Amino acid sequence: MKILTIVGARPQFVKAAAVSRAIRVLNDLRDFHGRRGSKQRIWEILVHTGQHYDYSMNEVFFEELALPKPDHHLGVGSCSHAQQTALMLERIETILEKERPEVVLVYGDTNSTLAGALAAAKANIPVAHVEAGLRSYNRSMPEETNRVLTDHLSAFLFCPTALAVRNLSREGIRDGEETVVKNVGDVMYDSILYYADIAERKSTILQDLKLFSAEDLRPGTYYLATLHRAGNTDHPKRLSAILKALDEIGRENPVILPLHPRTQKMMETYQLRVRERRIKLIEPVSYLNMIKLMSHARMILTDSGGVQREAYWLRTPCLVLREETEWVETVNTGWNLLVGTDTKKIVEGMKRLEGSKPREKRRELFGDGKASEQIVQILLERQVHR
Ligand code: UD1
């Protein structure tokens, strides 16, 4: 079976690596007599759109996650949303004509996801969407448009949660003859289970950072912030309010802020900066370094979807710098707190979360760490019946 996987942006490398590993394991499985299968059961072709291209946003993930080198690199890079999506669409179509895969596998909600799904659907190739069914119900987010359209183009909808299945059902997308809708769990959970110990052993980021004093880097002392959502970074008022909140927190506590290139660019454009000496701006960090930073932080402040769940899995309290989230389970269970982007609300939220105990015992809301295996198995089984 030939699968064509499309990736392009940082979080997709993490998700695709988990499924790629499951494919390699399956291909390597020995048969009944202990012999290795004579032919590969799944042949995966990897396409990189080029949406993320800096070493720290791209190559380092391929290195750490042992992702195979892309078979095709489309070199699209940064441009407006329409232009970026259109360039990808055109170039993916050419690859699909050449490769003729049986399924196209796309991840998450980026422009690379939508372009991959649309190109495949137009070529009559079934689309498999990993992380299907998520909704923030905020149509001003480019990701929400990408999610909704990708789901409606897909034949296989691999949902990370029960709520995602219900969201799809409300839009008329249900499990049946033509469409597979399954709650398989979250591939990012598979990944964190696999890499948490490795990160703990291998990452030296806490020593390497050499920030402030040795005291500041003790586990549970520093705050970790990440910020990259266009809805936050591209609005000077919102971005300024968030940076002010970090300044307030940074007055008394060390804060580590790995800067996404978009955020750095917008801070320069709007001439915004953080003033507190104890806020450490650093380059974007690798996956293993990020896991280490997250698991030892006192608290995380973020607008990232991935980091919200990773904080939950690593049991680090997390403030979500958005007005709504598609990962409502982490908030409903009292682990994460949704605070928006107002300076006062962020600082108050930080104090509230510091002083409170999570409402519920941490539950397995995102599957059992075997989402990737299930995805591969379902694709194989369904292919047989097509
Ligand atoms: C994209 C996704 C977002 C995802 C995020 C993960 C869309 C609409 N958004 O947002 O859902 O959460 O990736 O990071 O697809 N840049 C560089 N180097 C890079 C990549 C980007 O300098 O390697 C700069 C460019 O100036 C670019 C800006 O960052 O214009 C934004 O990059 P882009 O890929 O457009 O979107 P992200 O903000 O990364």
Side-chain angles (χ1 to χ4, degrees):
M1 181 188 197
K2 192 174 187 179
I3 293 182
L4 188 134
T5 298
I6 296 178
V7 294
R10 183 169 61 175
Q12 289 165 334
F13 308 141
V14 178
K15 296 166 196 171
V19 177
S20 250
R21 197 172 47 249
I23 291 175
R24 286 198 297 276
V25 168
L26 178 119
N27 285 341
D28 203 38
L29 275 187
R30 284 156 200 275
D31 68 11
F32 188 70
H33 304 288
R35 289 186 302 249
R36 198 166 284 169
S38 56
K39 60 175 194 268
Q40 265 196 339
R41 302 178 71 187
I42 293 187
W43 178 14
E44 187 185 29
I45 304 288
L46 189 63
V47 177
H48 190 319
T49 62
Q51 180 168 353
H52 286 170
Y53 43 85
D54 287 350
Y55 174 79
S56 60
M57 297 287 288
N58 171 39
E59 264 157 273
V60 67
F61 287 81
F62 277 75
E63 287 166 13
E64 278 188 353
L65 298 161
L67 250 179
K69 204 169 158 296
D71 299 278
H72 302 277
H73 197 292
L74 308 183
V76 171
S78 303
C79 36
S80 75
H81 282 265
Q83 202 181 1
Q84 191 178 55
T85 313
L87 283 174
M88 289 174 188
L89 195 56
E90 198 179 332
R91 294 178 193 177
I92 292 169
E93 184 181 56
T94 311
I95 306 287
L96 293 180
E97 278 165 10
K98 187 167 170 249
E99 295 287 358
R100 302 192 168 278
E102 286 149 88
V103 177
V104 167
L105 192 52
V106 296
Y107 292 88
D109 53 18
T110 73
N111 292 342
S112 301
T113 316
L114 176 61
L118 191 50
K122 293 225 172 250
N124 270 326
I125 302 169
V127 177
H129 184 204
V130 177
E131 244 181 46
L134 296 171
R135 296 290 181 267
S136 67
Y137 297 104
N138 175 356
R139 281 290 179 109
S140 71
M141 287 175 77
E143 292 85 358
E144 184 73 356
T145 305
N146 292 342
R147 280 178 207 127
V148 172
L149 294 178
T150 301
D151 283 341
H152 284 262
L153 293 168
S154 295
F156 295 90
L157 296 107
F158 296 119
C159 300
T161 61
L163 177 61
V165 175
R166 290 202 295 278
N167 290 341
L168 289 176
S169 175
R170 274 198 289 270
E171 293 174 23
I173 306 176
R174 300 186 186 98
D175 196 37
E177 280 287 303
E178 295 294 314
T179 314
V180 175
V181 180
K182 284 269 166 352
N183 175 9
V184 291
D186 192 335
V187 293
M188 283 192 90
Y189 185 44
D190 299 10
S191 192
I192 207 118
L193 288 178
Y194 186 83
Y195 282 106
D197 287 345
I198 299 175
E200 190 54 39
R201 271 185 284 113
K202 282 202 174 164
S203 167
T204 55
I205 182 126
L206 291 180
Q207 299 89 300
D208 298 346
L209 273 177
K210 294 203 180 67
L211 1 121
F212 326 120
S213 65
E215 293 277 286
D216 286 343
L217 281 175
R218 277 181 325 184
T221 307
Y222 63 86
Y223 289 69
L224 175 69
T226 82
L227 191 59
H228 79 281
R229 275 291 155 194
N232 285 340
T233 59
D234 298 9
H235 293 262
K237 266 197 182 152
R238 256 176 247 161
L239 181 56
S240 161
I242 295 171
L243 295 177
K244 273 199 192 120
L246 294 183
D247 266 333
E248 283 202 25
I249 296 170
R251 214 165 287 152
E252 293 181 17
N253 313 279
V255 179
I256 300 172
L257 175 58
L259 262 194
H260 186 286
R262 172 194 283 284
T263 314
Q264 182 171 16
K265 196 168 96 183
M266 296 326 260
M267 284 172 73
E268 282 159 15
T269 306
Y270 303 136
Q271 300 187 335
L272 297 171
R273 59 192 181 89
V274 286
R275 293 170 198 285
E276 284 303 323
R277 197 185 54 82
R278 282 155 71 83
I279 301 181
K280 180 82 171 171
L281 302 184
I282 60 173
E283 293 273 303
V285 293
S286 73
Y287 183 58
L288 294 185
N289 284 341
M290 188 64 187
I291 294 179
K292 180 94 166 204
L293 282 177
M294 287 188 290
S295 57
H296 290 272
R298 179 179 188 83
M299 188 179 294
I300 296 172
L301 297 91
T302 190
D303 61 6
S304 150
V307 175
Q308 285 172 51
R309 281 119 76 207
E310 287 166 340
Y312 178 78
W313 298 323
L314 294 167
R315 295 162 195 273
T316 304
C318 177
L319 281 184
V320 182
L321 308 176
R322 285 175 49 189
E323 302 299 337
E324 76 288 301
T325 178
E326 48 295 344
W327 300 102
V328 286
E329 298 86 351
T330 58
V331 175
N332 291 346
T333 50
W335 279 82
N336 293 0
L337 190 62
L338 204 53
V339 286
T341 55
D342 175 76
T343 308
K344 221 171 123 212
K345 285 192 183 145
I346 297 173
V347 176
E348 279 172 9
M350 182 273 280
K351 289 180 185 153
R352 189 137 63 92
L353 203 55
E354 289 260 290
S356 72
K357 282 215 164 72
R359 281 202 301 271
E360 277 187 30
K361 217 167 139 257
R362 214 180 63 98
R363 286 189 283 137
E364 297 290 9
L365 299 167
F366 301 92
D368 57 1
K370 292 190 165 62
S372 318
E373 284 170 43
Q374 284 197 62
I375 288 169
V376 173
Q377 214 54 55
I378 292 170
L379 287 175
L380 262 183
E381 280 165 17
R382 278 296 178 130
Q383 176 236 0
V384 174
H385 299 299
R386 260 175 196 279

